[in-house]
Amino acid sequence: MLYIKQFGIILLFSLIGELLHFIIPLPIPASIYGIILLFSALMLGIIKLDHVEQTGSFLIEIMPLMFIPAAVGIMESLSLVKASLWEYIAITAVSTIIVMAVSGFITQLVIKYWRGKKKND
């Protein structure tokens, strides 16, 4: 029952994200709205980490399985992909480097923030 409750909370934030995506015409995926809202609720203490932690961990553990349908779809469309294979490789490489750089930069900022906060406590 605990997992159903936790999953329901996560789904609620996903639904709110979908509604915001429908209302606000920005080129931001609905899942990002939902993640930002859930993160904000966790940081503000509206939702306690215990309310979503176990189900969230489970969903992260099974995440690789969620990519199988996309991979199968690409394999079925291989003839279309072959025509632009080098473009796909280049875009993947560049976007991976950008994501790694931005993630590293943000991680460093968060670490510096928490170290500074601990010194002030």
Side-chain angles (χ1 to χ4, degrees):
M1 196 65 173
L2 176 69
Y3 287 111
I4 293 172
K5 178 184 173 188
Q6 291 183 2
F7 192 65
I9 293 169
I10 294 170
L11 282 179
L12 176 66
F13 279 92
S14 294
L15 174 66
I16 295 169
E18 289 288 341
L19 292 172
L20 281 176
H21 180 68
F22 180 74
I23 294 169
I24 304 170
L26 294 174
I28 298 173
S31 59
I32 300 301
Y33 284 118
I35 289 287
I36 290 171
L37 290 173
L38 181 57
F39 177 74
S40 299
L42 286 166
M43 293 303 293
L44 294 171
I46 298 168
I47 301 287
K48 302 287 185 225
L49 183 58
D50 296 343
H51 296 157
V52 293
E53 185 174 22
Q54 290 176 328
T55 300
S57 295
F58 172 73
L59 291 172
I60 289 172
E61 288 175 11
I62 66 165
M63 190 185 309
L65 292 174
M66 303 302 148
F67 290 102
I68 292 174
V72 170
I74 290 173
M75 290 172 61
E76 287 181 353
S77 305
L78 194 56
S79 61
L80 297 172
V81 172
K82 280 184 181 179
S84 303
L85 184 61
W86 290 111
E87 289 87 351
Y88 286 121
I89 291 171
I91 290 170
T92 301
V94 170
S95 63
T96 299
I97 291 168
I98 291 170
V99 167
M100 288 172 56
V102 170
S103 298
F105 179 73
I106 291 173
T107 301
Q108 289 176 348
L109 288 177
V110 169
I111 289 170
K112 287 178 185 177
Y113 171 78
W114 284 110
R115 283 184 183 160
K117 189 172 182 179
K118 285 183 180 181
K119 286 180 184 179
N120 294 333
D121 288 342

